[in-house]
Structures are given as C-alpha cells and as structure tokens.
C-alpha cells in the first residue's frame, strides 16, 4: 500500500510559500512540491502549490523570432520563465510564487491560482459591500500577505492601538500578485483609499507592483479621483504601520459604488473593472493617457505604410485585421494589449504604440487605398500605389524588361491571369529571350540556301 503521509520539517508557515529569490533551486517549496508529487501526483491540494498557470495560445511571442511582449520575462525574480519557440515555459520547481508575471500579463495567458482573480474580486466585493451596508464610510483597503502583514497587524493589535475602524485588511497569498483589475475593482466597489503593505527589505524586487501602481494612479487621476488614494507602505515595524494608517486622511469614495459580479478571465475582468470604475466615478473623460507598458492603448500608422499586412499576421489578439476584398487595415482598440509585435514586425517601421485608455473606442480604419485592377480580367488585386511604384522602378531601367516590354504586363495581371498568359505563350518572365525552335526542315532549308548537298 503506498504511503500517503509525509512528515516535512516546516517550522514557519511562510516557508511553504517559497517567496524568496533562490540561487539553490533544491530547497524550500521545490523540495516540498517534488516530494508531494512523488506520493500522489493527482492530488488537487498538492497541485495547488504550483501557483502559476500558463495558457499557451495567448503567449506573446512570434514564430518569426521577433519578440513582442516580454513583461513576464523581465519581472520574474528567479528566471523561472524561459522562451520556448512560440511560447514561454514556467518551471514550477523554480517559481517562487510571487505572481508578478500574472499581474503584468496583458492577455491573461499567465494567471495566479492561489486564489484566482475572480475569487479575489468576490472577496473584495463582499468586504466593501457589507461595510457600506453596515453604515461605514470612507473605507481604506489594506492589502497584505499573511506571513508579513498578518504578523504586523497582530503585533499592532496586541501592543498598540490596532487598526483604525475604517481600515479593512484583506490578506492575499502574495502582495505582488495584485493586478490592475484588483485596484480598479476596489475603487469601483467604494474604497476611498488603497494601501499595499510591503516588507522594508523585500525578498524579491516588487517592480511589477510598482508598475501596476503607476498605471492605476494615471487612471485614477484621469477619472478625477485623488492620486494619493493609492500608495504602498514599506515597513517591518508594526508601530510605523499604525502611524501611517492613523495619519491617513482618505478622500471621498465614488458616489455610486458598483455591485458587478466578477465573471470571466483575467483580461475580461480587467476591462470590466475599469469600465465599472469609469461609470461609478461619473467621469467625463473618455480618453486617459497612460505610461509606457500599460495593457491598454492604440496603434498609430505613419506615412510609408504599403499595406503589406505583416502586422495583421503578427497580431495575436486580432486587434489588427484586413479585408479580403480590398486593401484595408482595421484596428479594434479593445482587443489591443500593446504587445509590440506589430511594431517589431513592420518592415517600413511606421507603426508606433500609443498607451492610453479609451472608453469610447470603436473599430476604425487605420489605412485604406485603392486596389490595382488586372489589365486582362479587371479583377482588383494588390495596392495601386505599390504596383505603380514597382512599374516605375522597372520600366526602361531593369535589364529584364528592356528587351521584352511584354514582361512588364505580367506585373499588371492578377495571379490567375499571370499563370494563364505564361502557359499559353510558353513565356518565362525570368529567363532571357530564347531563340526560335529549329526543326529538321529549317536545317535542310539552310543547306539549300548555301548550296550544300
């Protein structure tokens, strides 16, 4: 009978989280995870130790070796995320579970499993709704982890004045897992301020959290809310935490708090939370400028675009699309995640990213030109300006077309007519002019002309 129980030498609850940056991969959670899987690899409780989930079809990496989005690669403190062809791999044996990759991923391809985003927002909704229905005003949401923040709050309650009555603590597995959707939903549900409790000396660089705060501050300022209502508290001293919270004077919350039910994937929840925040704030701003690296934005196409549609082929979310009947480049801003693949793929280098948040964005046409019509059948094909530019460069200038101008007509034909003409006339457009085929009668006639027998 297989053994189902293992005695593991864990002295503190925080050791199982494996948050610190490792140089030796064979310790802490890696050992626990490996031993647990050896006894029961299908146990759902054990499988929850792998906090990061990766959905391959949404990863932003092109098969043409052109790299677009690399947010998760830059933020991972243990190098657990590595490129793998068209996708990336997350090694659960190295992953420290900080969640920065999931918080920064604009598509939701990487997601945090402890807890899922929708479950976290449900807790947030219940907490703020019950507080408001009980008569509370100007709630301040304090996001913290249990190992560090829970210990500080407990020490402050035992040896100090405790937390102010309007401060609502909410424990998460890791504070670095907090994404933009969580912050936007908190203010949409009626929070007057949000504070994130960090260690004075973090175990890993919380750069991803700082980037999320920067984007959230820009959105809050654009919606007319106080920019100081969102901040971090870096301390290991419970009395310093108490002083920061007791001295906090939160501003007014939104007038009409939202009550939406968080449903859908991470990207859907992000869009929903931001739109509900816009509605709850009763803001008139329809477009908000965001810092670089934001998960929302537009694409601008400058002069020089030839409508080659390389960007359409590279776009992983379908934000850029074409029309099979005419040369058109369309753009849907809601689907754009600012991955940068279109910009990196463009051969003319005329595409730029415009990070912004637009609440009135609709599908639009970025560029449109007149098609060129086949001189044989009249079928539209290609871009007229491009075909005319190619003809101007080849006519009377290229050796292949100087002695045989009829070859130039092939460029003016569609793909079907071009094949028909070449097949009917036995015409090779890429070969030099061939001599006329000679038969036996031609040789005999030549001999008679020269008087030979």
């Amino acid at each position: 009978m297989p053994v189902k129980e293992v005695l593991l030498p864990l002295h503190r609850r925080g050791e199982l989280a494996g948050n610190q940056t490792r140089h030796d991969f064979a310790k802490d959670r890696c050992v626990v995870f490996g031993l647990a899987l050896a006894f029961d690899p299908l146990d759902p409780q054990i499988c929850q130790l792998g906090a990061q989930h990766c959905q391959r079809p949404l990863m932003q990496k092109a098969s043409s070796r052109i790299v677009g989005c690399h947010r998760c690669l830059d933020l991972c403190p243990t190098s657990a995320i590595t490129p793998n062809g068209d996708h990336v791999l997350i090694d659960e044996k190295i992953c420290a579970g900080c969640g920065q990759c999931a918080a920064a991923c604009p598509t939701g391809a990487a997601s945090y499993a402890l807890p899922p985003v929708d479950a976290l927002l449900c807790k947030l909704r219940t907490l703020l709704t019950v507080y408001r229905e009980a008569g509370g005003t100007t709630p301040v949401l304090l996001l913290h982890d249990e190992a560090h923040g829970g210990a500080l709050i407990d020490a402050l309650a035992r040896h100090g004045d405790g937390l102010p009555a309007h401060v609502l603590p909410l424990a998460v597995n890791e504070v670095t897992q907090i994404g933009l959707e969580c912050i936007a939903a908190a203010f949409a549900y009626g929070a007057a301020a949000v504070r994130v409790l960090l260690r004075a000396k973090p175990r890993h660089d919380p750069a991803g959290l700082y980037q999320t705060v920067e984007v959230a501050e820009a959105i809050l300022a654009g919606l007319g809310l106080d920019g100081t209502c969102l901040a971090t508290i870096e301390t290991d001293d419970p009395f310093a935490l108490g002083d920061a919270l007791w001295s906090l004077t939160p501003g007014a919350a939104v007038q009409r708090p939202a009550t939406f039910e968080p449903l859908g994937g991470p990207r859907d929840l992000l869009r929903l939370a931001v739109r509900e925040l816009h509605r709850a704030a009763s803001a008139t701003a329809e477009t908000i400028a965001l810092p670089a690296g934001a998960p929302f934005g537009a694409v601008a196409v400058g002069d020089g675009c030839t409508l080659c549609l390389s960007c359409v082929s590279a776009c992983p979310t379908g934000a850029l699309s074409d029309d099979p009947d005419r040369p058109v480049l369309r753009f849907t801003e809601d689907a754009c995640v600012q991955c940068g693949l279109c910009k990196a793929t463009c051969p003319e280098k005329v595409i730029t990213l415009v990070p912004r948040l637009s609440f009135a964005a609709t599908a639009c046409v970025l560029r449109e030109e007149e098609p060129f019509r086949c001189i044989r059948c009249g079928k539209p094909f290609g871009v007229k300006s491009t075909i005319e530019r190619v003809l101007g460069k080849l006519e009377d200038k290229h050796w292949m077309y100087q002695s045989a101008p009829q070859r130039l007509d092939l460029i003016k034909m569609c793909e079907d007519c071009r094949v028909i003409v070449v097949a009917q006339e036995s015409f090779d457009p890429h070969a030099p002019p061939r001599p006329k085929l000679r038969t036996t009668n031609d040789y005999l006639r030549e001999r008679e002309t020269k008087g030979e027998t």
Side-chain angles (χ1 to χ4, degrees):
M1 175 180 291
V3 180
K4 288 290 184 178
E5 295 182 358
V6 184
L7 181 62
L8 300 174
L10 299 179
H11 303 289
R12 296 186 304 273
R13 181 177 180 180
E15 289 185 358
L16 189 60
N19 305 323
Q20 67 274 24
T21 302
R22 300 183 183 83
H23 298 287
D24 180 9
F25 297 151
K27 62 181 180 179
D28 295 342
R29 189 173 136 251
C30 301
V31 175
V32 177
F33 190 73
L35 288 175
L37 289 184
F39 282 92
D40 193 351
L42 300 180
D43 191 341
Q45 295 181 352
I46 295 176
C47 292
Q48 283 183 345
L49 292 174
Q52 312 301 326
H53 287 177
C54 179
Q55 187 176 356
R56 282 191 165 189
L58 294 179
M59 301 309 296
Q60 308 301 313
K61 197 163 189 303
S63 58
S64 59
R65 299 180 182 271
I66 298 177
V67 178
C69 178
H70 46 82
R71 293 176 174 90
C72 58
L73 296 172
D74 295 339
L75 292 175
C76 184
T78 61
S79 299
I81 306 176
T82 55
N84 182 36
D86 294 347
H87 315 286
V88 297
L89 291 179
I90 299 179
D91 191 342
E92 71 277 359
K93 297 181 180 64
I94 306 175
C95 174
C98 67
Q100 295 193 83
C101 58
C105 183
T107 63
S111 59
Y112 205 77
L114 294 175
V117 179
D118 53 351
L120 179 59
L121 295 192
C122 283
K123 287 184 179 180
L124 194 60
R125 176 176 179 266
T126 302
L127 178 66
L128 292 172
T129 301
V130 171
Y131 179 82
R132 185 175 64 253
E133 292 177 351
T137 58
T138 62
V140 176
L141 180 65
L142 178 62
L143 297 169
H144 65 91
D145 61 354
E146 192 62 40
H148 172 252
L152 289 187
I153 294 174
D154 182 67
L156 185 62
R158 289 174 177 271
H159 306 289
D161 297 330
L163 296 178
H166 63 281
V167 174
L168 308 179
L170 178 61
V172 295
N173 188 53
E174 278 290 334
V175 291
T176 45
Q177 79 180 76
I178 299 170
L180 184 58
E181 68 284 341
C182 180
I183 297 176
F187 286 101
Y189 286 138
V194 173
R195 291 294 183 267
V196 182
L197 181 56
L198 295 172
R199 297 174 184 267
K201 295 181 179 179
R203 293 179 175 180
H204 46 257
D205 184 14
L209 178 61
Y210 292 141
Q211 293 175 8
T212 300
V213 171
E214 182 183 6
V215 175
E217 287 177 342
I219 295 176
L220 294 174
L223 296 178
L225 300 177
D226 185 8
T228 61
C229 57
L230 173 63
T232 59
I233 301 176
E234 296 92 356
T235 183
D236 295 334
D237 184 359
F239 298 105
L241 172 63
D243 294 339
L245 294 176
W246 281 101
S247 62
L248 175 63
T249 304
V254 295
Q255 297 180 356
R256 298 180 302 167
T259 58
F260 67 94
E261 185 74 22
L263 297 174
R267 180 69 181 182
D268 298 327
L269 288 174
L270 175 57
R271 285 197 294 255
L272 177 61
V274 171
R275 289 177 180 174
E276 287 294 325
L277 176 60
H278 177 261
R279 183 198 60 79
S282 301
T284 57
E286 296 296 335
T287 302
I288 301 173
L290 299 180
F296 300 104
V299 170
V301 178
D303 296 335
C305 175
T306 60
L307 284 174
C308 66
L309 302 180
S310 298
C311 54
V312 175
S313 302
C315 182
T317 62
L320 292 170
S321 58
D322 60 347
D323 191 323
D325 298 327
R326 54 198 180 104
V328 173
L329 178 61
R330 289 194 175 93
F331 177 66
T332 305
E333 188 165 340
D334 282 346
C336 180
V337 296
Q338 298 284 285
C339 65
L341 274 174
C342 56
K343 179 180 179 180
T345 305
C346 179
E348 287 82 21
K349 305 302 178 184
V350 295
I351 293 181
T352 55
L353 301 180
V354 184
R356 69 179 191 181
L357 177 60
S358 178
F359 297 99
T362 57
C364 61
V365 175
L366 295 180
R367 191 170 182 85
E368 181 178 8
E369 289 196 26
E370 183 181 354
F372 189 89
R373 295 190 174 274
C374 176
I375 60 174
R376 186 173 182 271
C377 68
K379 173 185 174 182
F381 77 99
V383 183
K384 185 176 180 180
S385 61
T386 302
I387 300 297
E388 291 177 347
R389 184 165 56 252
V390 172
L391 292 174
K393 290 184 177 181
L394 296 179
E395 189 175 10
D396 299 331
K397 295 179 182 179
H398 196 278
W399 64 269
M400 186 181 292
Y401 301 95
Q402 290 176 353
S403 58
Q406 68 273 17
R407 295 181 180 180
L408 208 60
D409 292 338
L410 294 178
I411 300 178
K412 305 176 185 179
M413 299 180 188
C414 64
E415 63 276 10
D416 297 328
C417 294
R418 193 177 302 125
V419 174
I420 293 173
V421 171
V422 170
Q424 288 178 348
E425 300 183 3
S426 300
F427 175 61
D428 187 355
H430 302 290
R434 296 181 179 179
K436 183 179 179 180
L437 183 63
R438 302 187 64 177
T439 64
T440 303
N441 293 332
D442 295 328
Y443 286 102
L444 294 176
R445 190 179 304 108
E446 184 179 350
R447 288 182 180 181
E448 291 178 358
T449 303
K450 294 181 180 181
E452 299 178 0
T453 59

